[in-house]
PDB file of all heavy atoms in Angstrom:
ATOM      1  N   ASN O  64     -61.580 -15.243 -17.459  1.00  0.00           N
ATOM      2  CA  ASN O  64     -60.227 -15.308 -16.910  1.00  0.00           C
ATOM      3  C   ASN O  64     -59.433 -14.099 -17.399  1.00  0.00           C
ATOM      4  O   ASN O  64     -59.640 -13.639 -18.527  1.00  0.00           O
ATOM      5  CB  ASN O  64     -59.563 -16.612 -17.397  1.00  0.00           C
ATOM      6  CG  ASN O  64     -58.303 -16.923 -16.628  1.00  0.00           C
ATOM      7  OD1 ASN O  64     -57.268 -16.295 -16.820  1.00  0.00           O
ATOM      8  ND2 ASN O  64     -58.402 -17.884 -15.739  1.00  0.00           N
ATOM      9  N   ALA O  65     -58.507 -13.623 -16.559  1.00  0.00           N
ATOM     10  CA  ALA O  65     -57.670 -12.480 -16.934  1.00  0.00           C
ATOM     11  C   ALA O  65     -56.874 -12.783 -18.208  1.00  0.00           C
ATOM     12  O   ALA O  65     -56.602 -11.886 -19.015  1.00  0.00           O
ATOM     13  CB  ALA O  65     -56.734 -12.120 -15.798  1.00  0.00           C
ATOM     14  N   ALA O  66     -56.510 -14.054 -18.379  1.00  0.00           N
ATOM     15  CA  ALA O  66     -55.931 -14.497 -19.654  1.00  0.00           C
ATOM     16  C   ALA O  66     -57.131 -14.903 -20.505  1.00  0.00           C
ATOM     17  O   ALA O  66     -57.621 -16.030 -20.409  1.00  0.00           O
ATOM     18  CB  ALA O  66     -54.986 -15.668 -19.428  1.00  0.00           C
ATOM     19  N   PHE O  67     -57.646 -13.968 -21.289  1.00  0.00           N
ATOM     20  CA  PHE O  67     -58.982 -14.076 -21.882  1.00  0.00           C
ATOM     21  C   PHE O  67     -59.388 -15.445 -22.445  1.00  0.00           C
ATOM     22  O   PHE O  67     -60.474 -15.928 -22.158  1.00  0.00           O
ATOM     23  CB  PHE O  67     -59.184 -13.007 -22.953  1.00  0.00           C
ATOM     24  CG  PHE O  67     -59.311 -11.604 -22.403  1.00  0.00           C
ATOM     25  CD1 PHE O  67     -59.385 -10.523 -23.261  1.00  0.00           C
ATOM     26  CD2 PHE O  67     -59.350 -11.357 -21.038  1.00  0.00           C
ATOM     27  CE1 PHE O  67     -59.497  -9.222 -22.768  1.00  0.00           C
ATOM     28  CE2 PHE O  67     -59.454 -10.074 -20.526  1.00  0.00           C
ATOM     29  CZ  PHE O  67     -59.520  -9.001 -21.402  1.00  0.00           C
ATOM     30  N   PRO O  68     -58.533 -16.089 -23.255  1.00  0.00           N
ATOM     31  CA  PRO O  68     -59.018 -17.342 -23.870  1.00  0.00           C
ATOM     32  C   PRO O  68     -59.203 -18.480 -22.872  1.00  0.00           C
ATOM     33  O   PRO O  68     -59.758 -19.514 -23.218  1.00  0.00           O
ATOM     34  CB  PRO O  68     -57.922 -17.702 -24.886  1.00  0.00           C
ATOM     35  CG  PRO O  68     -56.992 -16.545 -24.926  1.00  0.00           C
ATOM     36  CD  PRO O  68     -57.167 -15.781 -23.663  1.00  0.00           C
ATOM     37  N   SER O  69     -58.717 -18.295 -21.649  1.00  0.00           N
ATOM     38  CA  SER O  69     -58.824 -19.377 -20.667  1.00  0.00           C
ATOM     39  C   SER O  69     -60.216 -19.502 -20.057  1.00  0.00           C
ATOM     40  O   SER O  69     -60.490 -20.454 -19.324  1.00  0.00           O
ATOM     41  CB  SER O  69     -57.810 -19.168 -19.533  1.00  0.00           C
ATOM     42  OG  SER O  69     -56.514 -19.116 -20.063  1.00  0.00           O
ATOM     43  N   GLY O  70     -61.083 -18.551 -20.333  1.00  0.00           N
ATOM     44  CA  GLY O  70     -62.439 -18.636 -19.802  1.00  0.00           C
ATOM     45  C   GLY O  70     -63.281 -19.623 -20.593  1.00  0.00           C
ATOM     46  O   GLY O  70     -62.820 -20.233 -21.560  1.00  0.00           O
ATOM     47  N   LEU O  71     -64.533 -19.790 -20.151  1.00  0.00           N
ATOM     48  CA  LEU O  71     -65.415 -20.727 -20.852  1.00  0.00           C
ATOM     49  C   LEU O  71     -66.855 -20.205 -20.856  1.00  0.00           C
ATOM     50  O   LEU O  71     -67.304 -19.581 -19.895  1.00  0.00           O
ATOM     51  CB  LEU O  71     -65.370 -22.101 -20.158  1.00  0.00           C
ATOM     52  CG  LEU O  71     -65.914 -23.273 -20.970  1.00  0.00           C
ATOM     53  CD1 LEU O  71     -65.111 -23.493 -22.253  1.00  0.00           C
ATOM     54  CD2 LEU O  71     -65.908 -24.546 -20.136  1.00  0.00           C
ATOM     55  N   CYS O  72     -67.545 -20.490 -21.946  1.00  0.00           N
ATOM     56  CA  CYS O  72     -68.944 -20.092 -22.087  1.00  0.00           C
ATOM     57  C   CYS O  72     -69.832 -20.876 -21.119  1.00  0.00           C
ATOM     58  O   CYS O  72     -69.486 -21.972 -20.668  1.00  0.00           O
ATOM     59  CB  CYS O  72     -69.438 -20.374 -23.505  1.00  0.00           C
ATOM     60  SG  CYS O  72     -68.751 -19.313 -24.768  1.00  0.00           S
ATOM     61  N   ALA O  73     -71.017 -20.326 -20.882  1.00  0.00           N
ATOM     62  CA  ALA O  73     -71.998 -20.948 -19.987  1.00  0.00           C
ATOM     63  C   ALA O  73     -72.376 -22.357 -20.465  1.00  0.00           C
ATOM     64  O   ALA O  73     -72.431 -23.301 -19.663  1.00  0.00           O
ATOM     65  CB  ALA O  73     -73.254 -20.086 -19.941  1.00  0.00           C
ATOM     66  N   GLU O  74     -72.601 -22.488 -21.762  1.00  0.00           N
ATOM     67  CA  GLU O  74     -73.092 -23.759 -22.292  1.00  0.00           C
ATOM     68  C   GLU O  74     -72.069 -24.877 -22.088  1.00  0.00           C
ATOM     69  O   GLU O  74     -72.403 -25.977 -21.638  1.00  0.00           O
ATOM     70  CB  GLU O  74     -73.381 -23.634 -23.803  1.00  0.00           C
ATOM     71  CG  GLU O  74     -74.449 -22.621 -24.160  1.00  0.00           C
ATOM     72  CD  GLU O  74     -73.882 -21.224 -24.408  1.00  0.00           C
ATOM     73  OE1 GLU O  74     -72.983 -20.797 -23.654  1.00  0.00           O
ATOM     74  OE2 GLU O  74     -74.347 -20.572 -25.348  1.00  0.00           O
ATOM     75  N   ARG O  75     -70.798 -24.577 -22.403  1.00  0.00           N
ATOM     76  CA  ARG O  75     -69.787 -25.628 -22.257  1.00  0.00           C
ATOM     77  C   ARG O  75     -69.451 -25.895 -20.799  1.00  0.00           C
ATOM     78  O   ARG O  75     -69.116 -27.015 -20.429  1.00  0.00           O
ATOM     79  CB  ARG O  75     -68.543 -25.293 -23.090  1.00  0.00           C
ATOM     80  CG  ARG O  75     -68.744 -25.644 -24.573  1.00  0.00           C
ATOM     81  CD  ARG O  75     -67.581 -25.203 -25.414  1.00  0.00           C
ATOM     82  NE  ARG O  75     -67.559 -23.755 -25.526  1.00  0.00           N
ATOM     83  CZ  ARG O  75     -66.482 -23.041 -25.824  1.00  0.00           C
ATOM     84  NH1 ARG O  75     -65.323 -23.645 -26.008  1.00  0.00           N
ATOM     85  NH2 ARG O  75     -66.545 -21.728 -25.933  1.00  0.00           N
ATOM     86  N   THR O  76     -69.567 -24.874 -19.954  1.00  0.00           N
ATOM     87  CA  THR O  76     -69.371 -25.102 -18.513  1.00  0.00           C
ATOM     88  C   THR O  76     -70.370 -26.165 -18.047  1.00  0.00           C
ATOM     89  O   THR O  76     -70.012 -27.113 -17.341  1.00  0.00           O
ATOM     90  CB  THR O  76     -69.577 -23.780 -17.732  1.00  0.00           C
ATOM     91  OG1 THR O  76     -68.628 -22.832 -18.190  1.00  0.00           O
ATOM     92  CG2 THR O  76     -69.409 -23.993 -16.248  1.00  0.00           C
ATOM     93  N   ALA O  77     -71.629 -26.021 -18.453  1.00  0.00           N
ATOM     94  CA  ALA O  77     -72.668 -26.978 -18.044  1.00  0.00           C
ATOM     95  C   ALA O  77     -72.485 -28.332 -18.747  1.00  0.00           C
ATOM     96  O   ALA O  77     -72.522 -29.386 -18.100  1.00  0.00           O
ATOM     97  CB  ALA O  77     -74.050 -26.407 -18.359  1.00  0.00           C
TER      98      ALA O  77
END
Side-chain angles (χ1 to χ4, degrees):
N64 194 286
F67 289 175
S69 302
L71 196 62
C72 290
E74 298 90 319
R75 280 175 289 158
T76 300

